[in-house]
Amino acid sequence: MSRKGVSFRVKEINSDIAQFRDLSISIGAIHEEKWDEPMGPTPFPTLSTLRSWDHTLLKRYKPFYLPFCDLCCLCTYGKCDLTGTKRGACGISMSAQQSRTVLIAACIGAATHISHSRDLLTHVIEQYGSDFPLNIGGTSVEVEAPITRLVCGVKPETLGDLEPVLDYCENQVTQLLAVTHTGQEGNNLDFESKVFHAGMVDHVGMEVADIAQVSALGFPKADPESAMADLGLGTVDATKPVVLVIGHNVPPSTSIIDYLRDNGLLSEIEVTGICCTAMDIARYSAKAKIIGPISWQLRYIRSGVPDVIVIDEQCVRTDTLQEAAAIRTPLIATSDKNCLGLPDRTNDPIDAIVADFVSGKVAGALVLDMEKVGEIAVRVAQGIAPNRKKQGTLPSKDRIIELAKKCTQCMLCRRACPNDLPIPQAIKPAAGGNLGPLNELYDDCVGCGRCEPACGQKIPVHSLIVGAAEKQTREETFCIRTGRGAIQDVEIRKVGGPIVLGEIPGIVAFVGCANYPKGSREVAEMCMEFAKRRYIVCTSGCSAMSAGMYRDKDGKTAYEKYSGAFEAGGIVNVGSCVSNAHISGAAIKIASIFAKRPLRGNYEEIADYVHNRVGAVGVAWGAMSQKAAAIAAGFWRLGIPVVVGPHGTKYRRMLLGRADKDEDWYVYDARTGEKVYGGPVPEHLFFAAETKEEAMVMIAKLTMRPNDTSKGRANKLANYVDLHKRHIGGLPPDVHRLVRVPADIPLTMKSEILEHLQQHDWKEQPIPDPTLLPRMVHTRRD
Amino acid sequence: MPLNESWQTGEIPGPKKASLIVKPDIADAMIRRAKRPILIVGHGILEYEVEGLRLIDCLIELAKKGKIPVVVTASTNKEFLARGYIPAAIMPAVDIANRLTDATWKGIDGKDTYDLAIFVGLPYSMEWTILSGLKHFAPGVKTMTLDCVYQPNASWSFPNSTIKEWAASLRAIVANLGD
Ligand code: SF4
Ligand code: SF4
Ligand code: SF4
């Protein structure tokens, strides 16, 4: 199908929608005709189309800004001191400046996913043709692209149909980035609305990427029983030549697997990966091994095990070339977004490149031809492994002691450490031969390496920690269920009712990066706790790996213990970062498949449904990247709350509700049109928790929705109260705000809650049929 | 160690930086001068014990003597309850800070706004960002930290100090308040 396809003006389709004046979009999708659902009000929304919805949310969840710096230095007028009520030379206020920074982050994140999506799509179209049909889950997934259908109002059927969807995303991100120019937007809430827009567009971009790769590369198709893959440093057979892939865009890695398969070498070579490329290569071949999240980059490279490193894009340490050179391992860069100053060898003969690497003549090269990458990487690994002898840079015990003796206890390493780890206090005993305290730091260390350049004594602090944990790293032998992709329509039909009615207390999605305050283990523990409590738990990306990196007292990992189905008590690994789209997609599908709300170009109504009825919460416990900011923003626009760890306050703002302000929590009762109190649920839209315990209590609270039935609310309250009693102590102070009618009270907690209600002058409140959109009154369709 | 450098070397805020509490009486005077102080205690204090004194006990004494309502975050509440002290409120750190930026908020007791917020025991960078939020958006609230590290975004902060020096300062503040 032609990329140019059909061009139309949105106003011609639905001329009474004033917002779309003058928006012209080439939709390309000839398959349009086969979709008989009428077009909703907001296909291909522009920057301002959904503004009133955003402002409705932002009125309730007001930004609380946490400036990371008093200054702005974005243009040559600056630096401008924006402290307090001061304004910059362009007139901008501190709150607008902070929201602008959030928008810049969200734009970077969205641009990164969309550009990744574009590269991936171009690659699979080159390989399989643009008419290649999308297949996300055979007949079990009919709504193949819920976000694209919702946002764009198109129903893609082939790879080629996805191209105009990306055209739209690229167009929007360009406009959003323009908003951040000096002397452009000046109001913080309008910046925030655009942050939401960036997030929504980001989710479209992610969806395109994942459905393209699932369809074309034969990844598990919405399979609750997708294969298990090995996870952890200890799973690598270091006697073999080892390839390490790092990044997010999978084609270079699939080319490696293809070469190994075609040449019968799959069992001769270890293919190992870090970050989402690892997640996706394991979806391609479950023989590939996942080492761990981003924080494992330094420790794994320094172990000396990888014989060749292939990097693509995103979250690849930018000093990988130096780290690779230190262990004499060649590096192949494969993305034009990440060239690292390397010579472009794309057009050179494979034999010449391999020879140069194996002889040590070159330390790295840029190879932009995916067909070549696989062969080069494998042959280099084979050629170099016998000579390299897995030589790493991690110090032996004796060497650690020797290095520790040089420590002056100046504290600079600790003061550079994002987790404020007591490094000097652990180095002191190491000098005397006791490596225990250093080993203890290993779990909490995010592997950033910031401690090392801080040290005036040139002590390789991170290596000392990893070296001291040598035995522990060998024992990192876990497993993970490979990313299954989408949630099946049948699963949605089964759980839609129980979720909306509250028998399943909620969907909790652990997503995002690994900048954890206390290591991976907390993510695994939280996943297991919520699965045990019969929530539906979803995982993706680095968090999905962390979820598997811990064994409970029965010796089982989360993925061995719980099913991979989207059901109460399931732990569902959807896949890599871009697979996050299946989590927001599932919430959208509950509205469309279970509740039969019209989907096509109908963003507000669906978001209103999700916000008021679907008890979903995102948890990005170690959120670090700009992509994580964009992903969170996509959840916010759907009214889905996101909880982050303490480092999350560095995103510069929270979106917090005020449970104590009754006037903030009124909703329309769709049955009567009256404005009625709906209770402070969900209380927040973006919240940073101080500890895992506080997070768990908040997660349980944030699954509540004004629509909960009494049975559902009682179930959610029971979990909230129980977690609060265990981790915070006592009955939660706000129970009276969350009980609407006596039947909401969990039976086993009746007397104590009744007593609390009495003390707080509690009055019964009717349970509304909630909506924030006046136009939904009397027009309910379910 | 430089007294008024951010404990985390990279966290350089800008032109407006906290004044140092070089002597305990400065803190003491600030607390006395405040009409409506509030003490926010994070989970970090649970770790500290110096010469047999748990810092949590010291803070309870401080709250009692200074008649300062205490807001506890995270799991701190459990430890207070275990000591028979019932905090004025349990609230996550971002929630109490957010309320403090609201000049119309009448406080936990519904009576009036607070003019001094004393922080202790949040994770360093989280406390840093929260204090920044208050520095810029809560002009009516002065902030003070009682941690052993310098927090540049507060109005007043202790310098970077050893646990011993810090414990001695806290003890002195408590003792002075009892006068
Ligand atoms: S963008 Fe505005 S606030 Fe920033 S440096 Fe330029 S003039 Fe100053
Ligand atoms: S590498 Fe680990 S110990 Fe070093 S600064 Fe980073 S988190 Fe801290
Ligand atoms: S920076 Fe170096 S010398 Fe200073 S405490 Fe850390 S390891 Fe020791």
Side-chain angles (χ1 to χ4, degrees):
Chain A
M1 187 179 44
S2 141
R3 167 79 181 282
K4 291 182 191 82
V6 202
S7 193
F8 69 94
R9 291 172 82 84
V10 167
K11 82 169 179 189
E12 287 161 20
I13 289 190
N14 202 339
S15 56
D16 55 8
I17 309 287
Q19 294 103 303
F20 311 119
R21 253 190 342 244
D22 302 333
L23 172 70
S24 164
I25 278 168
S26 151
I27 60 159
I30 305 264
H31 301 108
E32 272 307 280
E33 299 126 42
K34 293 192 203 151
W35 193 20
D36 52 15
E37 183 172 333
M39 182 64 89
T42 59
F44 293 109
T46 64
L47 262 51
S48 57
T49 308
L50 298 167
R51 184 172 178 245
S52 81
W53 169 249
D54 298 337
H55 283 258
T56 303
L57 288 175
L58 289 162
K59 208 172 148 210
R60 182 183 274 183
Y61 304 102
K62 294 200 175 67
F64 170 34
Y65 294 106
L66 307 147
F68 215 26
C69 174
D70 300 347
L71 308 174
C72 173
C73 54
L74 265 183
C75 82
T76 70
Y77 276 134
K79 302 178 177 177
C80 294
D81 175 10
L82 303 180
T83 304
T85 53
K86 288 182 183 151
R87 285 178 183 264
C90 61
I92 204 164
S93 65
M94 187 53 121
S95 54
Q97 170 61 8
Q98 292 311 305
S99 52
R100 175 162 70 156
T101 313
V102 180
L103 178 56
I104 292 171
C107 282
I108 296 173
T112 306
H113 281 139
I114 291 160
S115 137
H116 167 194
S117 192
R118 175 66 81 190
D119 282 349
L120 189 59
L121 185 62
T122 307
H123 175 78
V124 291
I125 286 179
E126 266 165 27
Q127 284 205 315
Y128 303 93
S130 60
D131 282 338
F132 191 88
L134 296 179
N135 179 357
I136 317 307
T139 48
S140 13
V141 179
E142 277 177 13
V143 182
E144 73 303 302
I147 309 174
T148 302
R149 286 192 188 195
L150 174 68
V151 174
C152 302
V154 297
K155 178 176 177 301
E157 295 192 353
T158 63
L159 291 177
D161 289 351
L162 296 173
E163 292 197 290
V165 175
L166 285 186
D167 291 347
Y168 163 73
C169 295
E170 287 161 348
N171 171 292
Q172 293 305 296
V173 171
T174 305
Q175 307 216 22
L176 285 165
L177 195 56
V179 169
T180 66
H181 193 275
T182 301
Q184 198 83 277
E185 189 60 80
N187 177 276
N188 68 308
L189 292 182
D190 273 316
F191 270 122
E192 297 291 356
S193 158
K194 283 154 180 139
V195 170
F196 288 11
H197 192 65
M200 180 195 73
V201 170
D202 179 68
H203 281 236
V204 177
M206 292 195 294
E207 181 173 86
V208 168
D210 211 52
I211 64 181
Q213 62 182 2
V214 167
S215 302
L217 301 177
F219 288 2
K221 295 188 192 306
D223 181 2
E225 286 167 16
S226 57
M228 288 284 189
D230 284 337
L231 168 71
L233 284 169
T235 63
V236 185
D237 180 351
T239 62
K240 295 179 185 172
V242 175
V243 179
L244 165 62
V245 295
I246 313 176
H248 285 73
N249 189 27
V250 79
S253 308
T254 57
S255 142
I256 293 167
I257 298 285
D258 291 347
Y259 182 81
L260 291 173
R261 258 189 206 141
D262 294 349
N263 293 278
L265 291 169
L266 263 180
S267 51
E268 316 275 309
I269 309 272
E270 289 279 84
V271 178
T272 63
I274 287 178
C275 253
C276 284
T277 283
M279 193 59 103
D280 281 343
I281 195 62
R283 294 163 91 186
Y284 191 64
S285 160
K287 276 203 136 113
K289 291 173 178 173
I290 301 176
I291 300 301
I294 178 168
S295 27
W296 264 254
Q297 286 184 33
L298 286 182
R299 56 187 74 155
Y300 183 46
I301 295 175
R302 291 179 182 185
S303 74
V305 170
D307 294 300
V308 64
I309 300 176
V310 178
I311 60 168
D312 54 85
E313 56 171 279
Q314 305 161 46
C315 306
V316 182
R317 284 190 67 94
T318 51
D319 56 1
T320 305
L321 186 58
Q322 290 75 22
E323 290 288 335
I327 58 161
R328 297 192 304 125
T329 285
L331 180 130
I332 306 171
T334 61
S335 165
D336 50 11
K337 278 168 255 174
N338 185 9
C339 302
L340 293 179
L342 294 167
D344 187 351
R345 303 288 299 267
T346 309
N347 297 317
D348 290 359
I350 290 179
D351 288 347
I353 305 174
V354 172
D356 283 353
F357 272 136
V358 174
S359 67
K361 204 168 138 196
V362 293
L366 180 66
V367 180
L368 298 173
D369 180 345
M370 295 313 127
E371 305 273 303
K372 283 183 175 173
V373 169
E375 180 175 348
I376 298 171
V378 172
R379 286 179 52 197
V380 170
Q382 284 174 314
I384 209 164
N387 298 331
R388 272 198 64 249
K389 301 196 170 44
K390 307 285 178 193
Q391 204 186 334
T393 57
L394 293 177
S396 64
K397 182 171 180 189
D398 289 345
R399 181 76 184 133
I400 294 173
I401 296 170
E402 203 180 303
L403 286 162
K405 284 185 176 148
K406 297 193 336 186
C407 172
T408 60
Q409 293 287 307
C410 73
M411 300 284 167
L412 283 170
C413 51
R414 179 170 185 170
R415 292 181 57 200
C417 175
N419 278 342
D420 198 13
L421 296 179
I423 307 164
Q425 291 81 344
I427 289 190
K428 208 173 189 174
N434 174 12
L435 304 194
L438 263 182
N439 187 359
E440 272 173 36
L441 300 181
Y442 176 80
D443 277 339
D444 294 358
C445 165
V446 294
C448 69
R450 232 156 68 172
C451 44
E452 296 188 350
C455 178
Q457 297 298 102
K458 297 202 167 51
I459 299 171
V461 182
H462 179 57
S463 287
L464 257 59
I465 295 171
V466 181
E470 196 256 351
K471 180 164 174 283
Q472 189 180 343
T473 58
R474 266 188 286 125
E475 289 164 0
E476 281 179 11
T477 52
F478 307 105
C479 65
I480 179 169
R481 193 175 293 106
T482 50
R484 60 169 276 178
I487 309 305
Q488 299 176 359
D489 297 4
V490 277
E491 288 174 299
I492 297 285
R493 277 190 199 100
K494 266 195 219 148
V495 299
I499 288 173
V500 173
L501 303 175
E503 285 145 32
I504 295 177
I507 307 167
V508 186
F510 291 88
V511 305
C513 337
N515 188 16
Y516 306 126
K518 287 197 162 52
S520 284
R521 181 186 172 130
E522 290 193 330
V523 172
E525 288 169 342
M526 285 194 272
C527 281
M528 291 208 205
E529 177 76 40
F530 284 99
K532 194 178 81 191
R533 289 173 180 272
R534 313 282 297 157
Y535 289 71
I536 300 174
V537 175
C538 293
T539 62
S540 69
C542 283
S543 288
M545 300 179 196
S546 299
M549 295 184 107
Y550 166 68
R551 292 183 191 279
D552 69 356
K553 55 180 187 330
D554 311 325
K556 289 205 168 141
T557 67
Y559 296 106
E560 290 165 307
K561 192 152 181 163
Y562 297 95
S563 97
F566 194 76
E567 63 186 10
I571 296 188
V572 186
N573 175 15
V574 289
S576 57
C577 277
V578 289
S579 314
N580 277 312
H582 302 305
I583 300 174
S584 46
I588 293 167
K589 289 213 288 188
I590 290 173
S592 101
I593 296 175
F594 162 72
K596 301 200 168 48
R597 295 290 178 112
L599 181 58
R600 186 175 193 181
N602 191 29
Y603 194 91
E604 270 188 352
E605 181 180 345
I606 294 284
D608 180 63
Y609 183 94
V610 170
H611 178 60
N612 283 300
R613 292 158 207 267
V614 180
V617 182
V619 185
W621 193 237
M624 162 282 293
S625 68
Q626 297 86 5
K627 287 183 295 167
I631 295 170
F635 283 116
W636 298 330
R637 199 175 226 184
L638 283 169
I640 298 176
V642 176
V643 173
V644 285
H647 288 300
T649 55
K650 298 179 205 164
Y651 278 117
R652 296 167 174 83
R653 72 110 171 72
M654 302 281 108
L655 296 169
L656 301 174
R658 283 283 298 274
D660 57 324
K661 289 189 161 181
D662 288 350
E663 63 275 22
D664 286 358
W665 303 101
Y666 276 71
V667 295
Y668 293 98
D669 188 334
R671 287 176 293 240
T672 62
E674 256 177 78
K675 277 202 123 178
V676 292
Y677 181 69
V681 290
E683 188 175 343
H684 301 304
L685 214 46
F686 190 41
F687 172 85
E690 184 183 333
T691 62
K692 178 192 85 175
E693 291 74 23
E694 189 173 272
M696 289 200 293
V697 174
M698 185 53 83
I699 293 165
K701 179 153 76 165
L702 290 180
T703 59
M704 294 181 206
R705 294 295 177 275
N707 178 66
D708 292 341
T709 60
S710 278
K711 195 173 160 204
R713 180 60 63 90
N715 187 9
K716 294 180 186 194
L717 266 172
N719 279 291
Y720 170 55
V721 172
D722 183 59
L723 282 163
H724 193 280
K725 282 184 174 175
R726 279 170 204 270
H727 297 300
I728 309 279
L731 207 60
D734 55 356
V735 174
H736 57 288
R737 295 189 203 280
L738 304 169
V739 175
R740 301 154 303 172
V741 293
D744 287 354
I745 302 172
L747 274 181
T748 52
M749 302 169 172
K750 196 145 198 165
S751 58
E752 52 183 333
I753 291 185
L754 279 176
E755 196 189 319
H756 173 97
L757 297 184
Q758 265 167 12
Q759 286 161 4
H760 287 84
D761 266 345
W762 175 82
K763 276 186 206 67
E764 190 166 333
Q765 300 277 355
I767 301 173
D769 179 1
T771 174
L772 298 178
L773 299 170
R775 69 182 170 85
M776 294 314 298
V777 172
H778 294 308
T779 60
R780 290 178 74 238
R781 294 177 185 86
D782 60 344
Chain B
M1 200 180 319
L3 297 179
N4 62 345
E5 263 183 19
S6 293
W7 173 246
Q8 284 234 308
T9 330
E11 308 230 300
I12 313 273
K16 193 174 173 188
K17 287 177 72 184
S19 309
L20 278 179
I21 306 173
V22 279
K23 282 189 290 180
D25 356 344
I26 300 182
D28 182 54
M30 292 304 161
I31 295 172
R32 281 170 197 269
R33 197 180 299 165
K35 285 198 201 76
R36 295 254 302 163
I38 183 168
L39 175 61
I40 295 126
V41 184
H43 81 291
I45 56 138
L46 306 178
E47 293 170 20
Y48 291 109
E49 189 181 322
V50 191
E51 292 158 2
L53 173 80
R54 297 272 313 249
L55 284 170
I56 183 170
D57 296 320
C58 185
L59 290 170
I60 289 174
E61 221 184 312
L62 178 99
K64 281 184 183 163
K65 283 195 171 167
K67 299 193 178 58
I68 311 172
V70 177
V71 177
V72 286
T73 70
S75 308
T76 323
N77 181 50
K78 276 174 90 172
E79 294 293 321
F80 274 84
L81 294 182
R83 287 166 165 73
Y85 182 92
I86 299 173
I90 308 167
M91 215 185 270
V94 291
D95 264 332
I96 177 65
N98 184 39
R99 279 166 175 62
L100 288 170
T101 62
D102 176 359
T104 66
W105 185 51
K106 292 282 175 225
I108 296 157
D109 53 8
K111 289 188 178 144
D112 202 358
T113 52
Y114 299 103
D115 58 350
L116 176 69
I118 307 166
F119 282 83
V120 61
L122 295 176
Y124 185 77
S125 59
M126 193 185 196
E127 191 161 302
W128 194 98
T129 41
I130 283 176
L131 287 166
S132 171
L134 296 177
K135 168 164 103 178
H136 294 284
F137 298 104
V141 186
K142 297 276 183 225
T143 56
M144 184 160 97
T145 61
L146 294 182
D147 298 289
C148 60
V149 285
Y150 182 66
Q151 276 289 4
N153 285 318
S155 314
W156 295 284
S157 162
F158 273 129
N160 296 313
S161 35
T162 64
I163 306 287
K164 256 188 162 172
E165 291 162 353
W166 175 47
S169 301
L170 283 181
R171 276 207 186 100
I173 296 172
V174 174
N176 291 348
L177 277 178
D179 294 349

